[in-house]
């Protein structure tokens, strides 16, 4: 059966190649992601009526684009229309371009989202143990892929998955909208992502990933939908984007307990600039709680967080191992947030009951400077691990104004230490230790530029 499909696809590819004859050539001054060749999804039999299932058309189109890999690659053009599809794979040297009014829609039929093994750094699916559903759009072992458009839309129709999760009808963990594994030189820009079943953009074991000018939204009462989740990745840049989801808007991760420790791939050199984040029930910017491969060298600038449960959260637990260190978050505006800053060493979700509580995480050298908060209920809840305190938490130039009738108090701290200057309201004494000095704090001088080829 599989052989037949491949043969048919080859025949189709050859036929299209000869029929088309001359492929469109794009100008020399073309924008990033432009390719010397272009094909349109309708050439593969796709119908943009919102009803016809186009999974095979997308699969065949990508299969055909593979033949341009050594000729500069090709663009797959998706015109205006509603293009219903199940899960499909991308290929290297591909630009997927969604025209204005083009909407790629995820099927509501779970069998259109095949089952795959859990990620090796997680060992289990996140909603349920065992395997998980493949994402809608997948990249495996790719290089040089651009997903862009004139504000086209990728809509996961996640509400069916949210309902299955709530009613315990899921058989396997939910899929994401866009996932890249073991890939490099990825650009995602100028698009809107709606209603992911779980996470919207999930690069894992990737390097040189740029996310620019995207809008991500899910219903605010959806269960556990995350926006952008760089996971065991290096050299990632997220800029000029707006994320509004129920759970974490941007979440940095690197694997779960013993699986993440033995996989050992950290998340490092991440730059996040000029983003606008909302998380109705989680944290707008989160680190962890899956961080067993380590998270370091993170630079966040010009962040707006509003109408969120938590603002910035560092999450871990005994059993995780790993580290979160060398983080600088600066120039943050927070409005209408319940808990501004959270550190917790008690995130009790584990892939197995057999986790090793002696695997203690290290949280060290976290600097936050130039934060202004208005209408915040509780400024900071910092709760480290007894016997493995979080250290060198450095706060500089923070000014939070509280909810008028706040009864929760401004700061609570345990098992943490650090340094603070010009912080209002006055932080807890753990962060005012006179023996600490600014020399323990991670500074911006270690900024390292990242190159996206
Ligand atoms: C995104 O849109 C901007 C403005 O139209 C354009 O300059 C940029 O090249 C686009 N990005 C890509 C990857 O096409
Ligand atoms: C998509 O890629 C995965 C991983 O390489 C592979 O197992 C699967 O068969 C591919 N699916 C299609 C339709 O090509
Ligand atoms: C991954 O890609 C590289 C380079 O294209 C190739 O050599 C290798 O065989 C691929 N590995 C798998 C598992 O597909
Ligand atoms: C962002 O993308 C939209 C299309 O989605 C485009 O019109 C706009 O110019 C882009 N802005 C930037 C700054 O690239
Ligand atoms: C779970 O499996 C049952 C039995 O095979 C099936 O009827 C049901 O549709 C599946 N649920 C989902 C969400 O795929
Ligand atoms: C303060 O923030 C809360 C959410 O934390 C919101 O419900 C409330 O309307 C805000 N108050 C004002 C005056 O903006
Ligand atoms: C950790 O959380 C669990 C419930 O999630 C609670 O029972 C336990 O007391 C907490 N431990 C600490 C040290 O806060
Ligand atoms: C904090 O900001 C408010 C205005 O939002 C200002 O009135 C106050 O003086 C500032 N406090 C400090 C200590 O800078
Ligand atoms: C070592 C240490 O200071 N442990 C403290 C951690 O926090 C708890 C709760 O505040 C304290 O009881 C421990 O003494």
């Amino acid at each position: 059966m599989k052989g037949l499909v491949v043969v048919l696809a080859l025949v189709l590819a050859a036929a299209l190649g000869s029929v088309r004859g001359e492929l469109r050539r794009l100008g020399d001054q073309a924008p990033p992601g432009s390719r010397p060749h272009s094909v349109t999804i309708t050439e593969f039999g796709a119908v943009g009526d919102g009803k016809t299932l186009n999974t095979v058309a997308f699969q065949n189109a990508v299969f055909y684009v593979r033949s341009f890999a050594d000729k500069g690659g090709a663009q797959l053009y998706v015109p205006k229309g509603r293009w219903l599809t199940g899960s499909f794979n991308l290929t290297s040297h591909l630009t997927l371009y969604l025209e204005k009014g083009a909407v790629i829609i995820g099927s509501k039929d779970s069998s259109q989202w095949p089952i795959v093994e859990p990620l090796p750094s997680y060992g289990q699916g996140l909603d349920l143990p065992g395997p998980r559903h493949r994402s809608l759009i997948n990249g495996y072992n790719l290089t040089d892929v651009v997903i862009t458009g004139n504000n086209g839309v990728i809509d996961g129709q996640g509400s069916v998955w949210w309902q299955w999760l709530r009613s315990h009808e899921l058989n396997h963990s939910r899929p994401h909208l866009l996932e890249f594994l073991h890939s490099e030189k990825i650009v995602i820009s100028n698009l809107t992502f709606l209603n992911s079943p779980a996470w919207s953009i999930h690069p894992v074991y990737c390097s040189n990933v740029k996310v620019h000018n995207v809008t991500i939204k899910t219903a605010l009462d959806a269960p556990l939908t995350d926006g952008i989740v760089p996971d065991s990745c290096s050299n990632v840049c997220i800029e000029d984007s707006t994320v509004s989801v129920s759970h974490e808007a941007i979440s940095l991760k690197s694997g779960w307990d013993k699986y993440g420790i033995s996989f050992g791939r950290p998340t490092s050199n991440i730059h996040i600039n000029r983003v606008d984040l909302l998380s109705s029930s989680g944290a707008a910017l989160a680190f962890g709680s899956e961080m067993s491969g380590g998270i370091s060298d993170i630079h966040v600038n010009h962040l707006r967080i509003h109408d969120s449960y938590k603002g910035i959260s560092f999450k871990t637990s005994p059993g995780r191992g790993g580290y979160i260190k060398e983080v600088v978050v600066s120039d943050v505006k927070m409005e209408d947030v319940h808990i501004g800053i959270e550190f917790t060493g008690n995130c009790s979700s584990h892939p197995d009951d057999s986790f090793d509580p002696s695997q203690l995480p290290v949280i060290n050298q976290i600097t936050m400077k130039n934060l202004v908060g208005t209408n915040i209920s509780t400024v900071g809840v910092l709760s480290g691990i007894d016997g493995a305190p979080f250290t060198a938490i450095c706060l500089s130039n923070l000014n939070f104004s509280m909810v008028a009738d706040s009864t929760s108090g401004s700061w609570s701290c345990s098992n943490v230490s650090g340094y603070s200057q010009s912080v209002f309201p006055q932080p807890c004494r753990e962060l005012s230790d006179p023996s600490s000095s600014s020399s323990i704090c991670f500074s911006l001088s270690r900024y390292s530029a990242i190159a996206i080829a």
Side-chain angles (χ1 to χ4, degrees):
M1 182 59 201
K2 205 167 190 176
L4 181 65
V5 170
V6 170
V7 168
L8 283 174
L10 279 168
V11 168
L12 176 72
L16 278 166
S18 57
V19 167
R20 189 171 303 103
E22 222 173 276
L23 287 159
R24 215 187 317 156
R25 290 217 142 246
L26 298 173
D28 288 340
Q29 299 301 312
S34 69
R35 306 287 181 184
H37 308 282
S38 179
V39 295
T40 298
I41 191 63
T42 48
E43 295 173 56
F44 300 85
V47 180
D49 61 0
K51 294 184 188 118
T52 308
L53 191 61
N54 296 303
T55 313
V56 173
F58 277 103
Q59 286 169 352
N60 286 343
V62 170
F63 186 86
Y64 178 69
V65 166
R66 275 166 64 176
S67 59
F68 295 97
D70 57 358
K71 304 180 188 72
Q75 169 179 273
L76 173 56
Y77 179 81
V78 181
K80 183 172 187 294
R82 295 175 62 77
W83 309 92
L84 182 69
T85 183
S87 168
F88 64 93
N89 291 338
L90 302 175
T91 188
S92 293
H93 312 293
L94 166 75
T95 296
L96 178 64
Y97 188 96
L98 277 70
E99 189 49 274
K100 193 175 183 67
V103 188
I104 293 181
I105 304 172
S107 169
K108 289 183 177 172
D109 174 358
S110 66
S111 70
Q112 285 291 315
W113 306 66
I115 308 302
V116 289
E117 287 305 301
L119 293 168
S121 56
Y122 283 74
Q124 302 286 359
L126 281 167
D127 298 316
L128 293 168
R132 61 197 191 114
H133 286 278
R134 273 185 86 77
S135 301
L136 186 63
I137 302 177
N138 299 277
Y140 179 75
N141 197 24
L142 304 185
T143 185
D144 177 24
V145 178
V146 178
I147 303 185
T148 188
N150 184 12
N151 201 24
V153 175
I154 300 176
D155 183 344
Q157 301 206 92
S159 58
V160 288
W161 297 93
W162 309 333
Q163 187 49 41
W164 288 327
L165 179 68
R166 288 192 192 101
S167 59
H168 307 286
E169 287 173 272
L170 269 186
N171 301 314
H172 306 286
S173 293
R174 289 170 300 164
H176 310 306
L177 270 188
L178 179 57
E179 184 171 79
F180 284 96
L181 270 76
H182 300 289
S183 298
E184 53 163 31
K185 298 182 190 161
I186 308 298
V187 177
I188 301 160
S189 68
N190 298 358
L191 292 175
T192 293
F193 294 81
L194 297 179
N195 299 318
S196 177
W199 303 344
S200 292
I201 299 177
H202 186 214
V204 51
Y205 325 136
C206 290
S207 65
N208 290 19
V209 178
K210 179 163 181 151
V211 179
H212 180 249
N213 190 30
V214 301
T215 301
I216 297 177
K217 283 184 189 162
T218 61
L220 297 184
D221 61 352
L224 302 176
T225 55
D226 288 13
I228 307 170
V229 187
D231 196 346
S232 294
C233 286
S234 56
N235 304 351
V236 176
C237 181
I238 301 170
E239 289 183 339
D240 301 304
S241 293
T242 300
V243 185
S244 169
V245 294
S246 71
H247 200 230
E248 331 285 31
I250 295 180
S251 179
L252 306 182
K253 298 182 185 284
S254 64
W256 209 6
D257 289 6
K258 64 186 176 195
Y259 303 101
I261 295 169
S262 63
F263 197 79
R265 178 128 183 209
T267 281
S268 67
N269 194 20
I270 311 292
H271 294 251
I272 301 172
N273 296 307
R274 298 178 304 273
V275 292
D276 185 307
L277 307 180
L278 182 160
S279 162
S280 58
S281 64
L285 174 65
F287 296 76
S289 74
E290 301 86 348
M291 38 63 74
S292 302
I295 297 175
S296 70
D297 201 4
I298 312 298
H299 305 264
V300 184
N301 278 295
H302 299 290
L303 190 58
R304 177 174 177 247
I305 294 173
H306 59 102
D307 303 291
S308 294
Y309 181 57
K310 293 183 255 184
I312 303 172
S313 176
F314 297 81
K315 306 189 296 179
T316 186
S317 165
R320 290 284 192 272
Y323 54 84
I324 305 174
K325 62 179 188 183
E326 297 168 4
V327 175
V328 180
V329 180
S330 69
D331 299 295
V332 180
K333 198 173 172 198
M334 241 187 239
E335 298 153 309
D336 306 333
V337 172
H338 189 63
I339 299 173
I341 298 169
E342 176 191 62
F343 284 74
T344 174
N346 189 24
C347 267
S348 49
S349 68
H350 297 283
D352 311 296
D353 292 336
S354 64
F355 72 95
D356 176 1
S358 72
Q359 292 284 357
L360 294 171
V362 172
I363 311 298
N364 184 34
Q365 293 203 302
I366 314 289
T367 293
M368 284 184 259
K369 51 194 240 178
N370 308 336
L371 272 67
V372 177
T374 51
N375 187 27
I376 311 294
S377 314
T378 302
V379 174
V381 178
L382 292 79
S383 166
I385 294 171
D386 196 358
F390 300 168
T391 52
I393 296 170
C394 301
L395 307 177
S396 169
N397 192 28
L398 272 58
N399 182 0
F400 284 88
S401 71
M402 314 291 290
V403 168
D405 60 349
S406 179
T407 50
S408 33
S410 50
W411 295 90
S412 83
C413 301
S414 62
N415 303 300
V416 296
S417 68
Y419 173 82
S420 57
Q421 61 180 20
S422 308
V423 174
F424 180 84
Q426 178 78 29
C428 43
R429 59 176 173 75
E430 288 85 346
L431 300 180
S432 321
D433 182 350
S435 68
S436 284
S437 82
S438 61
S439 63
I440 64 167
C441 298
F442 184 54
S443 87
L444 279 170
S445 64
R446 294 206 31 192
Y447 186 98
S448 42
I450 87 163
I452 305 283

PDB file of all heavy atoms in Angstrom, residues 275-297:
ATOM      1  N   VAL A 275       7.399  41.803  22.343  1.00  0.00           N
ATOM      2  CA  VAL A 275       6.247  40.916  22.236  1.00  0.00           C
ATOM      3  C   VAL A 275       5.175  41.363  23.223  1.00  0.00           C
ATOM      4  O   VAL A 275       5.463  41.961  24.257  1.00  0.00           O
ATOM      5  CB  VAL A 275       6.621  39.428  22.479  1.00  0.00           C
ATOM      6  CG1 VAL A 275       7.499  38.912  21.349  1.00  0.00           C
ATOM      7  CG2 VAL A 275       7.287  39.228  23.809  1.00  0.00           C
ATOM      8  N   ASP A 276       3.933  41.060  22.880  1.00  0.00           N
ATOM      9  CA  ASP A 276       2.762  41.449  23.659  1.00  0.00           C
ATOM     10  C   ASP A 276       2.069  40.153  24.071  1.00  0.00           C
ATOM     11  O   ASP A 276       1.650  39.385  23.211  1.00  0.00           O
ATOM     12  CB  ASP A 276       1.864  42.300  22.740  1.00  0.00           C
ATOM     13  CG  ASP A 276       0.669  42.872  23.467  1.00  0.00           C
ATOM     14  OD1 ASP A 276      -0.062  42.074  24.098  1.00  0.00           O
ATOM     15  OD2 ASP A 276       0.451  44.085  23.386  1.00  0.00           O
ATOM     16  N   LEU A 277       2.000  39.886  25.387  1.00  0.00           N
ATOM     17  CA  LEU A 277       1.583  38.556  25.834  1.00  0.00           C
ATOM     18  C   LEU A 277       0.395  38.615  26.786  1.00  0.00           C
ATOM     19  O   LEU A 277       0.314  39.492  27.652  1.00  0.00           O
ATOM     20  CB  LEU A 277       2.741  37.854  26.555  1.00  0.00           C
ATOM     21  CG  LEU A 277       4.075  37.774  25.815  1.00  0.00           C
ATOM     22  CD1 LEU A 277       5.114  37.051  26.685  1.00  0.00           C
ATOM     23  CD2 LEU A 277       3.945  37.074  24.470  1.00  0.00           C
ATOM     24  N   LEU A 278      -0.489  37.639  26.656  1.00  0.00           N
ATOM     25  CA  LEU A 278      -1.627  37.467  27.567  1.00  0.00           C
ATOM     26  C   LEU A 278      -1.794  35.982  27.858  1.00  0.00           C
ATOM     27  O   LEU A 278      -1.798  35.156  26.945  1.00  0.00           O
ATOM     28  CB  LEU A 278      -2.899  38.030  26.924  1.00  0.00           C
ATOM     29  CG  LEU A 278      -4.207  37.986  27.728  1.00  0.00           C
ATOM     30  CD1 LEU A 278      -5.194  38.997  27.144  1.00  0.00           C
ATOM     31  CD2 LEU A 278      -4.873  36.616  27.765  1.00  0.00           C
ATOM     32  N   SER A 279      -1.917  35.655  29.135  1.00  0.00           N
ATOM     33  CA  SER A 279      -2.175  34.273  29.542  1.00  0.00           C
ATOM     34  C   SER A 279      -3.305  34.284  30.554  1.00  0.00           C
ATOM     35  O   SER A 279      -3.146  34.798  31.661  1.00  0.00           O
ATOM     36  CB  SER A 279      -0.920  33.677  30.187  1.00  0.00           C
ATOM     37  OG  SER A 279      -1.265  32.536  30.927  1.00  0.00           O
ATOM     38  N   SER A 280      -4.447  33.715  30.190  1.00  0.00           N
ATOM     39  CA  SER A 280      -5.595  33.854  31.092  1.00  0.00           C
ATOM     40  C   SER A 280      -5.475  33.008  32.360  1.00  0.00           C
ATOM     41  O   SER A 280      -5.983  33.375  33.398  1.00  0.00           O
ATOM     42  CB  SER A 280      -6.892  33.515  30.353  1.00  0.00           C
ATOM     43  OG  SER A 280      -6.834  32.210  29.833  1.00  0.00           O
ATOM     44  N   SER A 281      -4.779  31.836  32.287  1.00  0.00           N
ATOM     45  CA  SER A 281      -4.719  31.001  33.488  1.00  0.00           C
ATOM     46  C   SER A 281      -3.313  30.512  33.820  1.00  0.00           C
ATOM     47  O   SER A 281      -3.121  29.816  34.810  1.00  0.00           O
ATOM     48  CB  SER A 281      -5.649  29.793  33.329  1.00  0.00           C
ATOM     49  OG  SER A 281      -5.196  28.995  32.270  1.00  0.00           O
ATOM     50  N   GLY A 282      -2.306  30.867  33.001  1.00  0.00           N
ATOM     51  CA  GLY A 282      -0.930  30.472  33.304  1.00  0.00           C
ATOM     52  C   GLY A 282      -0.068  31.709  33.422  1.00  0.00           C
ATOM     53  O   GLY A 282      -0.515  32.719  33.963  1.00  0.00           O
ATOM     54  N   ALA A 283       1.183  31.616  32.917  1.00  0.00           N
ATOM     55  CA  ALA A 283       2.098  32.753  32.952  1.00  0.00           C
ATOM     56  C   ALA A 283       2.343  33.244  31.534  1.00  0.00           C
ATOM     57  O   ALA A 283       2.470  32.454  30.610  1.00  0.00           O
ATOM     58  CB  ALA A 283       3.419  32.355  33.590  1.00  0.00           C
ATOM     59  N   ALA A 284       2.444  34.563  31.387  1.00  0.00           N
ATOM     60  CA  ALA A 284       2.702  35.122  30.059  1.00  0.00           C
ATOM     61  C   ALA A 284       4.062  34.651  29.542  1.00  0.00           C
ATOM     62  O   ALA A 284       4.185  34.206  28.410  1.00  0.00           O
ATOM     63  CB  ALA A 284       2.635  36.644  30.125  1.00  0.00           C
ATOM     64  N   LEU A 285       5.092  34.733  30.383  1.00  0.00           N
ATOM     65  CA  LEU A 285       6.424  34.235  30.017  1.00  0.00           C
ATOM     66  C   LEU A 285       6.825  33.205  31.064  1.00  0.00           C
ATOM     67  O   LEU A 285       6.906  33.538  32.247  1.00  0.00           O
ATOM     68  CB  LEU A 285       7.437  35.385  29.996  1.00  0.00           C
ATOM     69  CG  LEU A 285       8.898  34.975  29.760  1.00  0.00           C
ATOM     70  CD1 LEU A 285       9.092  34.388  28.368  1.00  0.00           C
ATOM     71  CD2 LEU A 285       9.835  36.181  29.961  1.00  0.00           C
ATOM     72  N   ALA A 286       7.056  31.959  30.624  1.00  0.00           N
ATOM     73  CA  ALA A 286       7.354  30.889  31.587  1.00  0.00           C
ATOM     74  C   ALA A 286       8.670  30.212  31.237  1.00  0.00           C
ATOM     75  O   ALA A 286       9.033  30.083  30.061  1.00  0.00           O
ATOM     76  CB  ALA A 286       6.221  29.864  31.596  1.00  0.00           C
ATOM     77  N   PHE A 287       9.361  29.776  32.275  1.00  0.00           N
ATOM     78  CA  PHE A 287      10.571  28.963  32.132  1.00  0.00           C
ATOM     79  C   PHE A 287      10.257  27.644  32.832  1.00  0.00           C
ATOM     80  O   PHE A 287       9.907  27.631  34.001  1.00  0.00           O
ATOM     81  CB  PHE A 287      11.757  29.641  32.810  1.00  0.00           C
ATOM     82  CG  PHE A 287      12.145  30.963  32.199  1.00  0.00           C
ATOM     83  CD1 PHE A 287      11.393  32.105  32.435  1.00  0.00           C
ATOM     84  CD2 PHE A 287      13.265  31.071  31.386  1.00  0.00           C
ATOM     85  CE1 PHE A 287      11.745  33.320  31.864  1.00  0.00           C
ATOM     86  CE2 PHE A 287      13.621  32.281  30.814  1.00  0.00           C
ATOM     87  CZ  PHE A 287      12.864  33.414  31.057  1.00  0.00           C
ATOM     88  N   GLY A 288      10.360  26.487  32.116  1.00  0.00           N
ATOM     89  CA  GLY A 288       9.986  25.215  32.704  1.00  0.00           C
ATOM     90  C   GLY A 288       8.503  24.961  32.536  1.00  0.00           C
ATOM     91  O   GLY A 288       7.883  25.550  31.669  1.00  0.00           O
ATOM     92  N   SER A 289       7.866  24.108  33.351  1.00  0.00           N
ATOM     93  CA  SER A 289       8.586  23.420  34.412  1.00  0.00           C
ATOM     94  C   SER A 289       9.479  22.306  33.879  1.00  0.00           C
ATOM     95  O   SER A 289      10.363  21.842  34.589  1.00  0.00           O
ATOM     96  CB  SER A 289       7.617  22.849  35.446  1.00  0.00           C
ATOM     97  OG  SER A 289       6.950  21.703  34.948  1.00  0.00           O
ATOM     98  N   GLU A 290       9.268  21.887  32.596  1.00  0.00           N
ATOM     99  CA  GLU A 290      10.145  20.857  32.029  1.00  0.00           C
ATOM    100  C   GLU A 290      11.439  21.546  31.591  1.00  0.00           C
ATOM    101  O   GLU A 290      11.451  22.251  30.585  1.00  0.00           O
ATOM    102  CB  GLU A 290       9.471  20.159  30.848  1.00  0.00           C
ATOM    103  CG  GLU A 290       8.146  19.478  31.193  1.00  0.00           C
ATOM    104  CD  GLU A 290       6.944  20.423  31.108  1.00  0.00           C
ATOM    105  OE1 GLU A 290       7.151  21.648  31.005  1.00  0.00           O
ATOM    106  OE2 GLU A 290       5.810  19.930  31.145  1.00  0.00           O
ATOM    107  N   MET A 291      12.502  21.396  32.357  1.00  0.00           N
ATOM    108  CA  MET A 291      13.756  22.122  32.093  1.00  0.00           C
ATOM    109  C   MET A 291      14.954  21.226  32.398  1.00  0.00           C
ATOM    110  O   MET A 291      16.034  21.702  32.716  1.00  0.00           O
ATOM    111  CB  MET A 291      13.802  23.427  32.922  1.00  0.00           C
ATOM    112  CG  MET A 291      13.234  23.376  34.325  1.00  0.00           C
ATOM    113  SD  MET A 291      14.098  22.243  35.429  1.00  0.00           S
ATOM    114  CE  MET A 291      15.574  23.191  35.730  1.00  0.00           C
ATOM    115  N   SER A 292      14.765  19.894  32.265  1.00  0.00           N
ATOM    116  CA  SER A 292      15.772  18.942  32.733  1.00  0.00           C
ATOM    117  C   SER A 292      17.044  18.943  31.891  1.00  0.00           C
ATOM    118  O   SER A 292      18.090  18.502  32.347  1.00  0.00           O
ATOM    119  CB  SER A 292      15.156  17.541  32.780  1.00  0.00           C
ATOM    120  OG  SER A 292      14.023  17.561  33.625  1.00  0.00           O
ATOM    121  N   GLY A 293      16.975  19.425  30.647  1.00  0.00           N
ATOM    122  CA  GLY A 293      18.176  19.547  29.822  1.00  0.00           C
ATOM    123  C   GLY A 293      18.898  20.873  30.045  1.00  0.00           C
ATOM    124  O   GLY A 293      19.955  21.104  29.459  1.00  0.00           O
ATOM    125  N   GLY A 294      18.328  21.752  30.880  1.00  0.00           N
ATOM    126  CA  GLY A 294      18.931  23.052  31.165  1.00  0.00           C
ATOM    127  C   GLY A 294      18.403  24.158  30.270  1.00  0.00           C
ATOM    128  O   GLY A 294      18.038  23.925  29.120  1.00  0.00           O
ATOM    129  N   ILE A 295      18.334  25.367  30.847  1.00  0.00           N
ATOM    130  CA  ILE A 295      17.918  26.568  30.107  1.00  0.00           C
ATOM    131  C   ILE A 295      18.885  27.672  30.505  1.00  0.00           C
ATOM    132  O   ILE A 295      19.032  27.956  31.699  1.00  0.00           O
ATOM    133  CB  ILE A 295      16.472  26.980  30.485  1.00  0.00           C
ATOM    134  CG1 ILE A 295      15.471  25.891  30.083  1.00  0.00           C
ATOM    135  CG2 ILE A 295      16.095  28.313  29.837  1.00  0.00           C
ATOM    136  CD1 ILE A 295      14.030  26.154  30.522  1.00  0.00           C
ATOM    137  N   SER A 296      19.586  28.282  29.526  1.00  0.00           N
ATOM    138  CA  SER A 296      20.516  29.357  29.885  1.00  0.00           C
ATOM    139  C   SER A 296      20.714  30.322  28.739  1.00  0.00           C
ATOM    140  O   SER A 296      20.388  30.027  27.587  1.00  0.00           O
ATOM    141  CB  SER A 296      21.871  28.780  30.303  1.00  0.00           C
ATOM    142  OG  SER A 296      22.531  28.242  29.194  1.00  0.00           O
ATOM    143  N   ASP A 297      21.287  31.475  29.105  1.00  0.00           N
ATOM    144  CA  ASP A 297      21.634  32.500  28.114  1.00  0.00           C
ATOM    145  C   ASP A 297      20.373  32.998  27.394  1.00  0.00           C
ATOM    146  O   ASP A 297      20.218  32.853  26.185  1.00  0.00           O
ATOM    147  CB  ASP A 297      22.659  31.918  27.128  1.00  0.00           C
ATOM    148  CG  ASP A 297      23.435  33.010  26.405  1.00  0.00           C
ATOM    149  OD1 ASP A 297      23.232  34.197  26.721  1.00  0.00           O
ATOM    150  OD2 ASP A 297      24.230  32.663  25.515  1.00  0.00           O
TER     151      ASP A 297
END
